[in-house]
Each structure stands twice: as structure tokens, then as C-alpha cells.
């Protein structure tokens, strides 16, 4: 059963919450972060994307970046931008996007649950991304990136959380510049917290990582290193990691698309011809069209869009084989474009569906990439089925929206 705990969250003074809140560190690059933080000394990008405060061209994985993050975090604390609650609390976090809301519980989850498989994974991680988060955690002595978990609905938990939001005022309630509303309640009642802890311990056999595989893996590795060095005890905060857990019924997965830098030595005509062995290939013009069903893909190449429909016999019906990300990986990325490991191959990049198909056009038309593929999104049940089977999806298979904001609740070690 799932082990979760309340904790003494590090969070903004209420008047500054909307100024502190920042998009997750891994959904934007340094130039975007620098632009969004311009004129805002309170932005959490000064911690999560601290390269914005260093000379242009600084290696984002270099130690000065992590040192600057630690320096800025301590400055936020000393100046009162951030403060730590006196007693352990749970935090209820509601996001509203386009009229749809989802409400989760901010807590710390057990790293032993992660290691033993009670917290289930559906993706492999990339070593370079793991190392980045490890260095960030060790240098800042904090977990500032939230791991987004999901669980099969438990009515008693949903009801308890809903009741708290009805009868208590939120600590923060603001709408960000992208139109997403963020509301957080602080659960500071010991009896309620004990009840929440007990419900997860008795009613939730598993939680599932929806977003944040690298953050979870890195927290586990840091904990292991500290344990081997005999620097932590049983109740140490480093035995847990920062999570927000949502009921599955409230979640929506968007597409997660691919762009590739070259055609692996093929001409445009060669690629189109070879695709016809496994797909029905249809030109669809110059305007973007998203896939409308499973096993259908949209490809952007040399200024034109094509519909690709996987033919029978080119995929299997097991939980992994039936996924569109698997079909694309096996029949196009590996077979034709020579991309064997999407975790490490620098020729491929991933574009979340929230950016729209125009982002794919932009990447290809700029010459930065040669071809783009848009996919139909997987379902939350597919994600659970794969995690339950012990399998993993290809990297970057799911994109969840809306995103949690960094900086609203952090976990100090």
C-alpha cells in the first residue's frame, strides 16, 4: 500500500505566490525562462532555471548552475520570499484549465515504495537527465521539482479532499498568464492528516508516475548515496520525495510528438516509398491536421503534411505493441531512421502536444529538424495497464496538462 506523509513545505508568502510560480523546469529552455522571468526577481526560474542568471552560453549541466540555484534558493528564504511551515502539512492543489479541473494532494511519497514497485513506472529515463536532477538536489539540498502521480479513484479520499476545500479558505488562488487557475489549500489539522495517511495506507495499493520519472529516479539515487554514506536515518526527509497525487478520473493525456534532425541518409522520395511497406500514406496538404484515431499519424516533411495509417500485421496487440508510440518507434524511427535508443540519441527531440502542431512546423521549417511526427494520445488506462504489466513505454509517450507550477511547494532535505 502507498506510504505518504505530510511535510513542512517550503512555499511563498501569499502576496508573492503568483510571482514565484514557474512552469516546470523541463518544459522550456533557458531563453524562454529568461524572457518569462524578466523584471520579476521573485520568479522560481531563478532556482529551477538558474542559468538565466549566468552568462549566456553557460553549460546548463555545469556546477555553477547548481551553485547559483542553491544561492538563489537561500536568498529567497532569507529575504522572506519563501518560508517553511512550522508543522507537517498536506497541501491540496487544484488546477483549472479551459473549464476542466483536477484536484490533487501534495505530499511526500516513500522512496522505498518507488524502489519496490508500489509506485509504478511506465518509462525508462535518460542518464543525462538523471544526473542533472541528482546534482540539483544535492547542491540545493531540496526537491523543488514535483513528481506527478495518479491513482485509481478512492471515493473516501476524493470526498475528504473535497470537504476540506469547501470548508476552508485557500492559501493561494491565482490565474497564471496562460489562463490556468492554481489554487492551494494547506491541510494543517493533525486528525485530518492522519486520516489521509491511513486512507492511502489501506485503500491505495499502487500509485503511478504520470510525469516526473527523472525527478523520482534522481531522488532515489540521492537517497541511496546518502544511505550508503550513513548520513541519514529512518525518518530522514531524504527517504521521501515531493509528489502530487491525482485521481485518475480527473486526468487527460495529450499527444507527445517527435522531431528528427535528419532522414538517415534517405531522400524525401526514399522515405515516402519505404513508409508504404507498413503504412497507408496519403498527402493531406500544407495545413496541419492532427491524427483522428489510434494507429494514425501525421508527418510533416519538406513543407507538406502526410497521413500515415498503420497497416494490419505491422503491430501486435499486447499492451506495448498496440501503442502508437511503439508502432512509430519500431516501423519508422528504428527501421527507417536508425534511431535505436530514444533516451540517448541526440538526433531526436520531443514536443509536448500543448505546443500544438505549429511547433512541429516551426522546428522543421527552421532547418533545425528534417521531419516531424504527430501522434494520437494514449489513454490513462493504457498507461496503468502497461505499468501493471511491468513493461515500459518508449520515452516521452505521455504529456499531461495542465502542469503543476514549480515553487509553490518544495521539500527541504
Amino acid at each position: 500500500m502507498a506510504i505518504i506523509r505530510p511535510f513542512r513545505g517550503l512555499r511563498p508568502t501569499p502576496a508573492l505566490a503568483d510571482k514565484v510560480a514557474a512552469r516546470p523546469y523541463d518544459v522550456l529552455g533557458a531563453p524562454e525562462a529568461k524572457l518569462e522571468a524578466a523584471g520579476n526577481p521573485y520568479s522560481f526560474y531563478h532556482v529551477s532555471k538558474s542559468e538565466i542568471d549566468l552568462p549566456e552560453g553557460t553549460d546548463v549541466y555545469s556546477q555553477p548552475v547548481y551553485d547559483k540555484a542553491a544561492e538563489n534558493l537561500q536568498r529567497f528564504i532569507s529575504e522572506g520570499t519563501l518560508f517553511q511551515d512550522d508543522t507537517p502539512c498536506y497541501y491540496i492543489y487544484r488546477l483549472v484549465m479551459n473549464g476542466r479541473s483536477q484536484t490533487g494532494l501534495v505530499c511526500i511519497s516513500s522512496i522505498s515504495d518507488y524502489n519496490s514497485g508500489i509506485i509504478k513506472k511506465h518509462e525508462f529515463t535518460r542518464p543525462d537527465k538523471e544526473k542533472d536532477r541528482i546534482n540539483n538536489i544535492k547542491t540545493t539540498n531540496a526537491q523543488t521539482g514535483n513528481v506527478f502521480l495518479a491513482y485509481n479513484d478512492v471515493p473516501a479520499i476524493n470526498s475528504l479532499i473535497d470537504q476540506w476545500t469547501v470548508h476552508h479558505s485557500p492559501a493561494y488562488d491565482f490565474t497564471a498568464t496562460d489562463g490556468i487557475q492554481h489554487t492551494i489549500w494547506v491541510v494543517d489539522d493533525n486528525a485530518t492528516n492522519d486520516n489521509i495517511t491511513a486512507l492511502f495506507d489501506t485503500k491505495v495499493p499502487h500509485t503511478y508516475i504520470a510525469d516526473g520519472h527523472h525527478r523520482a529516479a534522481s531522488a532515489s539515487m540521492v537517497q541511496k548515496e546518502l544511505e550508503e554514506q550513513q548520513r541519514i536515518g529512518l525518518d530522514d526527509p531524504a527517504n521521501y520525495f515531493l509528489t502530487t497525487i491525482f485521481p485518475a478520473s480527473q486526468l487527460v493525456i495529450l499527444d507527445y510528438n517527435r522531431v528528427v534532425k535528419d532522414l538517415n541518409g534517405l531522400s524525401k522520395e526514399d522515405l515516402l516509398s519505404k513508409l508504404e511497406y507498413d503504412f497507408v500514406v496519403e498527402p493531406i496538404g500544407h495545413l496541419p491536421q492532427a491524427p483522428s484515431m489510434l494507429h494514425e499519424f501525421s508527418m510533416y516533411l519538406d513543407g507538406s503534411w502526410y497521413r500515415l495509417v498503420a497497416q494490419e500485421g505491422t503491430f501486435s496487440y499486447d499492451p506495448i505493441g498496440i501503442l502508437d508510440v511503439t508502432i512509430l518507434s519500431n516501423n519508422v524511427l528504428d527501421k527507417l531512421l536508425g534511431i535505436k535508443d530514444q533516451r540517448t540519441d541526440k538526433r531526436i527531440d520531443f514536443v509536448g502536444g500543448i505546443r500544438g502542431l505549429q511547433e512541429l512546423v516551426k522546428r522543421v521549417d527552421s532547418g533545425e529538424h528534417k521531419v516531424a511526427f504527430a501522434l494520437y494520445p494514449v489513454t490513462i488506462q493504457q498507461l496503468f495497464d502497461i505499468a501493471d504489466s511491468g513493461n515500459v513505454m518508449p520515452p516521452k509517450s505521455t504529456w499531461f496538462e495542465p502542469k503543476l507550477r514549480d515553487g509553490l511547494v518544495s521539500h527541504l532535505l
Side-chain angles (χ1 to χ4, degrees), residues 38 56 158 180 300 341 345-346 384:
E56 189 172 345
N158 295 352
I180 298 173
Y300 185 64
D341 187 348
D345 198 312
K346 302 300 184 184
F384 283 6

Side-chain angles (χ1 to χ4, degrees), residues 227-267:
E227 189 174 58
E228 290 173 346
Q229 296 171 352
Q230 298 183 336
R231 293 171 58 189
I232 58 174
L234 290 175
D235 296 325
D236 196 279
N239 291 319
Y240 298 85
F241 64 107
L242 180 65
T243 62
T244 301
I245 311 179
F246 290 89
S249 65
Q250 298 181 18
L251 302 180
V252 172
I253 302 176
L254 300 185
D255 45 311
Y256 212 153
N257 303 315
R258 274 84 169 123
V259 287
V260 180
K261 289 184 179 294
D262 60 70
L263 301 185
N264 195 33
L266 299 174
S267 67

Side-chain angles (χ1 to χ4, degrees), residues 16-168:
L16 296 176
D18 62 332
K19 295 180 175 62
V20 169
R23 290 194 288 159
Y25 76 95
D26 55 351
V27 303
L28 74 172
E32 280 184 280
K34 190 168 187 175
L35 185 63
E36 289 191 18
N40 180 8
Y42 306 109
S43 171
F44 205 74
Y45 289 131
H46 295 291
V47 175
S48 62
K49 303 287 290 184
S50 54
E51 60 267 26
I52 69 175
D53 295 328
L54 296 173
E56 189 172 345
T58 298
D59 181 358
V60 298
Y61 298 139
S62 64
Q63 189 58 41
V65 173
Y66 307 117
D67 291 338
K68 190 64 177 177
E71 175 190 326
N72 288 340
L73 182 63
Q74 290 305 313
R75 176 173 58 82
F76 280 175
I77 295 171
S78 64
E79 292 177 353
T81 301
L82 303 177
F83 72 97
Q84 188 174 26
D85 282 312
D86 294 330
T87 59
C89 303
Y90 285 121
Y91 305 86
I92 297 171
Y93 191 162
R94 175 172 294 159
L95 302 100
V96 180
M97 177 181 176
N98 298 329
R100 183 183 64 83
S101 70
Q102 60 187 60
T103 305
L105 182 75
V106 184
C107 60
I108 51 174
S109 293
S110 169
I111 287 176
S112 67
D113 279 2
Y114 174 82
N115 294 336
S116 67
I118 289 174
I119 297 174
K120 297 201 172 191
K121 306 174 270 292
H122 69 267
E123 287 184 6
F124 286 125
T125 51
R126 298 173 64 168
D128 57 334
K129 301 295 185 183
E130 289 177 356
K131 185 178 180 182
D132 170 52
R133 286 302 93 187
I134 289 169
N135 291 337
N136 181 277
I137 293 170
K138 290 169 65 175
T139 306
T140 62
N141 203 35
Q143 296 160 355
T144 58
N146 212 313
V147 179
F148 179 171
L149 300 181
Y151 67 100
N152 281 305
D153 287 52
V154 175
I157 297 175
N158 295 352
S159 176
L160 193 157
I161 288 175
D162 287 343
Q163 286 301 309
W164 187 274
T165 65
V166 169
H167 295 293
H168 297 82

